[in-house]
Amino acid sequence: PEATISRSFEVKDIKSGAVRMAASAGVPLLPTVIWGSQRVWTKGRSKRFLGRPVPIFIAVGEPVLVGRRDDHDAAASLLRRSMQQMLEELQARYPDKPRGSEDRWWMPARLGGTAPTPEQAAALDEAERIARQSRP
């Protein structure tokens, strides 16, 4: 529902398409978050498949039921809040911490890392979108 990888390592704004599809199909949404995978593969960094093991945590929350006549924007907001809470819980339990100032890239700014803030990440995403549109 975020539509892309978050450069800030925070939950992005939720697009309503996933909510609308779930409502139309009569199926629940399963809030799901992953923490640690950004250390292996993320935007703007080389993939890192070798070296010491990297813990990756995954959490799946309680199903969010959305009916066809429900407020889809409200459901998307509920989904985002649930995902943000789950992400913060995973971050708090994560066993690895950055080893030095150069290793803080994979931590969100909110936790003292050097990842862009959500606002900075949105600006980077917009610049990338504009660059893609201008390509022949």
Side-chain angles (χ1 to χ4, degrees):
E2 294 174 277
T4 188
I5 295 170
S6 171
R7 295 175 194 262
S8 68
F9 309 130
E10 300 282 7
V11 178
K12 295 175 60 117
D13 288 337
I14 302 295
K15 307 292 184 191
S16 63
V19 173
R20 288 193 321 267
M21 286 189 291
S24 177
V27 298
L29 288 157
L30 293 176
T32 305
V33 295
I34 302 172
W35 183 250
S37 62
Q38 77 279 15
R39 296 177 63 196
V40 177
W41 190 346
T42 195
K43 285 185 176 181
R45 297 196 65 92
S46 298
K47 296 166 190 66
R48 183 179 156 235
F49 294 115
L50 301 173
R52 71 183 187 91
V54 173
I56 297 176
F57 286 11
I58 301 171
V60 179
E62 292 295 320
V64 175
L65 299 170
V66 185
R68 290 178 190 239
R69 297 175 192 236
D70 290 345
D71 182 340
H72 295 166
D73 290 333
S77 292
L78 173 67
L79 182 63
R80 185 186 185 289
R81 284 191 306 275
S82 173
M83 290 171 64
Q84 184 64 40
Q85 179 181 355
M86 291 181 346
L87 178 63
E88 290 174 10
E89 289 169 3
L90 290 185
Q91 290 167 334
R93 292 191 355 239
Y94 197 71
D96 286 1
K97 303 297 178 215
R99 292 190 219 148
S101 60
E102 292 154 15
D103 196 35
R104 298 184 88 61
W105 67 266
W106 57 271
M107 294 292 287
R110 168 180 57 80
L111 296 177
T114 58
T117 65
E119 296 77 21
Q120 292 166 331
L124 290 168
D125 289 344
E126 179 63 11
E128 183 179 89
R129 185 189 67 77
I130 291 169
R132 267 196 321 268
Q133 285 181 337
S134 67
R135 290 185 198 141

